Amino acid sequence: MVGLLASGPALAQQPVVRLLPRVLPSAAAPTLTVLVVPLDAAAQAQLPQLTYQAEQAVAGTERFQLVRLADALDAQGARERDAKAAAAAAALQEGQKAYDELDTQQALKQFDQAAQLYEGSDLSRHFMDMSRARVMKIAAYVANGDNKAFQRELKEVLARNPRAEFSSNFFPPDELAVVEKVRRGILAEATRTLEVKTGDVPAQIFMDGQFQGISPMTLSGLTSSEHFVTAIAPGYASAQGRFRGEAALKLEPLPTASKLKAWVDRIAAAPEGADRDAALRELGTFAGTQQVMALLVRGTPSISGQDAIALRVEVSDGHNAGYAVGPLPLSGDAGNTALQALLASVLQTDALRGKGGKPTTHYPTQGPSAGRKTAGYVLLATGAALVAGGIYFGLEASSKADDFKKLPQRDPRAEKLRSDGKTYALVADVGVIAGLASAGAGTWLAFLGGGDGADSGGKKGRVTPAPAPRPETAPAARPEDKPATPAATGKTQDKPATAPAAGKPEDKPAAAPPAGDKATPATAAPQGKSTPASRAEEEKRKREEEKKRAEEERLKREEEERLKREEEAKRKQAEEDKRKGEERLKREEEEKRKQEEERKKREEEEKKKREEEAKRKREEEERRKREEEEKKKKKPALDEDDLRNY
């Protein structure tokens, strides 16, 4: 207690350590849930993995408040787990307050309660929070001087979480040394395995808060302690517990599983139809989210991998805020990269609405045109990504060149810097050239080569502009001078395209006069009368083209500004990295200089010692010689005559 009181002022000067979970996203961020729809058996096997990757992509953007589909389908269970997590956070906060007020007994009680409450929450999210609570429990043991409890709790915490952090704000140097010693010993003995099974249901597996993969699976390199395993699958109640050696978790189906299956079947039956978005809106309404992101994946046995459609739908009116299609390899790093790029194109920006705020949809009415335009968008996005990558590697090459110029020629790092700089420069050139080529091809397909039909499958899918040319031909085909025309026109105002087929036989010659000589005046009159309508249609079409060009220019400017911002951010990051590198080099040089000074100082001290030792030896020798000379002087010399007489 005396030691704790003495350390109080020092602890008060330390910065406040935040032990609470991260603050939830802002209320302004739209809520979003993720649905992955496998379109064949090959994609069905990867459903849990793709769901986890898609959810991580959403969380990584920080634009949305993610609502996991598994939690949305198990609302009651999710509320109970969240309530325990909230109570645990409150207990942790109270424990921290008591610890700061030196009431370590109360702090110990609160930290222990927080750890127990966290254990009943969703540990796939709150395991690290539980670990922090137990670390603070250990800190309370240290403050109370209970060394045995400190040792016991320390081994349990590090056995489950070798990554646990112990701050010097709460642990003296001696205890920190014990922590590191126990940590090394536990890691050296991490040779156990854990087999995880979830029956017939493939599920996402989290061990000690870390995503491990899809069940069934075997985990290796584990400590001998029990580990927390959490299994999650949409449509099933999550299962969780402590296990050692083997973990058999049973996932119970929820009543909402049938609804999920119905939505998935509807989407799989019409992956590019209007019922797809209707099912997604129903799912979003049930989950209580503002948007739904869907990933439709089709596996193929060919080398090209999977065909994927990613879209983000607003639940209120079905507006496609994001849409992208492209190939998706089945596995490997290339598949992960392609998936992240596909999802990023859907999540990063919001698509514009149509005229009057009408929602944008993607129901292709003309397959080839819609596919051409979609391919153009994909190529444009790919080109932008390649150009951005080329710019980044160009900046890296420039940074390597600057570092190379600053190093001495004999420095061993110079050759590596020169080689890396050349590699980055080559990658930058290839990326920029390929990006420009891809962007040019995408621009031609999306805006120049698509024709009128491209819009029908793109931004104006629901408006269906395909019937637009019919009003131009209807006036020319309507013989207004014939007596039968009023009756015919009265019946064909709603269906002009089917009027000729529904008329009497006498109406058919009205379309044939262009072949005869007498038909010229008859045909000239209708053409003359239809000219104002044609001019109006032409002006309308021109206005629409001008609006389209203006919109394209605006999008192009926004894309250029976004690229400039990204380039500026990368440049600043490169400068920051360069500055940190220079600071690190300065620190290394300063350390070398200090080491050199200490070495010289030691050499001087050793030299001084040697000189003093030599001086002492010389003085000793001189003293010995003087003593011998004095002895000789004191001893009487023998007379030669006495020697002879002797």
Side-chain angles (χ1 to χ4, degrees):
M1 182 60 73
V2 173
L4 183 60
L5 291 173
S7 63
L11 294 177
Q13 295 177 2
Q14 298 292 334
V16 178
V17 178
R18 300 186 64 87
L19 296 176
L20 297 178
R22 285 186 178 181
V23 178
L24 293 175
S26 172
T31 55
L32 182 144
T33 191
V34 175
L35 175 66
V36 178
V37 179
L39 301 180
D40 57 10
Q44 179 70 36
Q46 297 188 15
L47 176 61
Q49 180 74 30
L50 292 171
T51 300
Y52 175 77
Q53 291 177 326
E55 289 175 347
Q56 290 301 303
V58 173
T61 61
E62 298 183 354
R63 293 187 62 210
F64 306 95
Q65 182 178 345
L66 175 65
V67 177
R68 287 193 312 195
L69 183 59
D71 294 337
L73 296 174
D74 185 15
Q76 180 64 28
R79 282 194 295 269
E80 292 176 357
R81 292 188 292 270
D82 291 343
K84 290 183 179 179
L92 185 59
Q93 186 176 8
E94 290 296 325
Q96 182 66 44
K97 181 180 178 181
Y99 185 91
D100 294 339
E101 294 174 353
L102 304 182
D103 188 358
T104 55
Q105 291 294 335
Q106 180 65 17
L108 178 62
K109 179 180 178 181
Q110 292 293 333
F111 291 143
D112 183 64
Q113 181 181 0
Q116 293 179 9
L117 287 170
Y118 273 129
E119 188 171 341
S121 68
D122 184 358
L123 289 182
S124 67
R125 294 179 173 178
H126 299 291
F127 177 81
M128 295 305 295
D129 298 325
M130 183 184 71
S131 182
R132 291 190 191 97
R134 299 198 66 180
V135 168
M136 291 308 300
K137 181 180 176 182
I138 296 173
Y141 280 135
V142 172
N144 289 330
D146 192 346
N147 189 53
K148 291 184 179 180
F150 161 69
Q151 294 280 353
R152 182 183 67 254
E153 191 74 15
L154 177 64
K155 291 180 181 179
E156 292 183 4
V157 170
L158 290 179
R160 291 195 181 97
N161 183 19
R163 309 178 306 278
E165 297 182 0
F166 291 77
S167 173
S168 59
N169 293 337
F170 306 107
F171 296 92
D174 293 342
E175 275 69 17
L176 288 177
V178 174
V179 170
E180 295 305 321
K181 181 179 178 181
V182 173
R183 194 197 305 270
R184 289 193 297 269
I186 288 175
L187 290 175
E189 298 176 356
T191 58
R192 304 297 179 90
T193 59
L194 177 64
E195 186 177 1
V196 183
K197 300 177 181 178
T198 56
D200 297 332
V201 182
Q204 300 175 12
I205 300 300
F206 295 82
M207 187 197 71
D208 295 338
Q210 297 293 318
F211 177 74
Q212 301 296 331
I214 308 305
S215 62
M217 65 185 310
T218 300
L219 304 173
S220 59
L222 306 181
T223 62
S224 58
S225 174
E226 290 182 333
H227 295 273
F228 289 98
V229 179
T230 306
I232 298 175
Y236 295 84
S238 63
Q240 182 172 279
R242 297 185 186 182
F243 300 95
R244 181 191 290 115
E246 182 179 358
L249 296 132
K250 185 177 181 181
L251 296 174
E252 297 290 344
L254 296 168
T256 54
S258 58
K259 293 184 178 180
L260 176 62
K261 185 178 184 303
W263 288 321
V264 171
D265 291 343
R266 286 171 57 187
I267 296 172
E272 297 183 5
D275 196 39
R276 174 198 66 192
D277 288 11
L280 292 176
R281 293 177 66 186
E282 292 178 13
L283 170 61
T285 302
F286 179 84
T289 59
Q290 296 169 283
Q291 297 185 17
V292 176
M293 187 184 77
L295 177 63
L296 287 65
V297 185
R298 176 181 289 106
T300 60
S302 63
I303 301 177
S304 61
Q306 298 174 338
D307 294 330
I309 301 174
L311 72 155
R312 180 161 51 91
V313 178
E314 293 187 2
V315 177
S316 59
D317 59 0
H319 171 61
N320 289 182
Y323 183 86
V325 297
L328 187 62
L330 285 169
S331 61
D333 295 338
N336 294 333
T337 303
L339 176 61
Q340 294 304 319
L342 186 70
L343 296 176
S345 63
V346 173
L347 293 169
Q348 294 296 339
T349 58
D350 295 338
L352 297 175
R353 291 177 174 268
K355 292 182 179 180
K358 292 183 179 180
T360 297
T361 57
H362 294 81
Y363 311 142
T365 56
Q366 295 182 3
S369 298
R372 188 185 298 117
K373 191 163 187 177
T374 301
Y377 289 148
V378 172
L379 288 175
L380 275 174
T382 304
L386 288 173
V387 171
I391 293 173
Y392 170 76
F393 280 103
L395 293 174
E396 286 292 326
S398 177
S399 176
K400 297 290 182 183
D402 294 339
D403 293 342
F404 176 75
K405 293 178 182 179
K406 294 178 181 179
L407 289 177
Q409 293 182 353
R410 296 184 179 180
D411 194 302
R413 294 174 296 174
E415 181 62 25
K416 186 176 184 305
L417 284 174
R418 184 177 66 83
S419 176
D420 292 345
K422 287 185 177 180
T423 302
Y424 287 160
L426 178 60
V427 173
D429 293 340
V430 173
V432 171
I433 294 174
L436 292 176
S438 177
T443 302
W444 186 85
L445 289 174
F447 303 112
L448 302 178
D452 296 335
D455 291 337
S456 62
K459 295 182 179 180
K460 299 181 180 179
R462 188 181 293 274
V463 180
T464 60
R470 293 179 182 176
E472 298 180 3
T473 59
R478 192 166 55 234
E480 297 179 356
D481 297 335
K482 298 287 183 177
T485 300
T489 55
K491 295 181 181 180
T492 58
Q493 286 179 356
D494 297 333
K495 298 182 180 179
T498 59
K504 296 181 179 180
E506 298 88 66
D507 297 335
K508 293 183 179 179
D517 295 333
K518 296 181 180 181
T520 304
T523 55
Q527 289 179 357
K529 293 182 181 179
S530 64
T531 299
S534 300
R535 285 199 299 269
E537 291 293 335
E538 182 68 20
E539 292 176 357
K540 182 179 179 181
R541 185 179 61 82
K542 287 182 179 180
R543 286 195 299 271
E544 291 179 351
E545 290 178 353
E546 290 176 356
K547 290 182 180 179
K548 186 186 297 184
R549 284 196 296 270
E551 183 67 22
E552 292 172 355
E553 291 176 358
R554 188 183 66 79
L555 292 174
K556 185 176 180 182
R557 288 195 300 272
E558 291 179 353
E559 182 67 17
E560 291 175 352
E561 291 175 357
R562 184 181 65 80
L563 291 176
K564 287 181 180 179
R565 289 195 298 270
E566 292 179 353
E567 183 178 354
E568 182 66 19
K570 291 178 180 178
R571 183 185 62 79
K572 291 181 179 179
Q573 184 63 32
E575 291 177 355
E576 181 67 17
D577 294 341
K578 182 179 178 182
R579 182 183 62 78
K580 290 181 179 179
E582 292 174 353
E583 291 177 355
R584 179 176 56 80
L585 291 175
K586 287 181 181 179
R587 288 196 300 269
E588 292 177 354
E589 292 175 357
E590 183 67 20
E591 291 176 356
K592 289 181 180 179
R593 184 181 62 79
K594 289 181 179 179
Q595 293 175 358
E596 184 67 21
E597 290 177 355
E598 292 177 356
R599 185 183 62 79
K600 290 182 179 179
K601 186 177 181 180
R602 288 195 299 270
E603 290 178 353
E604 290 177 357
E605 291 176 353
E606 292 175 356
K607 182 179 179 181
K608 187 181 293 185
K609 288 180 180 180
R610 289 194 298 270
E611 291 177 351
E612 290 177 356
E613 183 67 21
K615 183 178 180 182
R616 187 183 63 76
K617 288 182 178 180
R618 286 196 302 271
E619 292 176 352
E620 184 69 23
E621 184 68 23
E622 290 176 357
R623 185 180 60 78
R624 188 179 58 78
K625 287 180 179 180
R626 285 195 301 271
E627 290 177 353
E628 290 177 356
E629 289 175 357
E630 288 176 359
K631 288 180 181 180
K632 287 181 181 180
K633 288 179 181 180
K634 292 179 181 179
K635 185 177 181 181
L638 294 175
D639 189 32
E640 292 180 357
D641 294 337
D642 293 339
L643 290 174
R644 283 195 298 272
N645 292 335
Y646 179 74

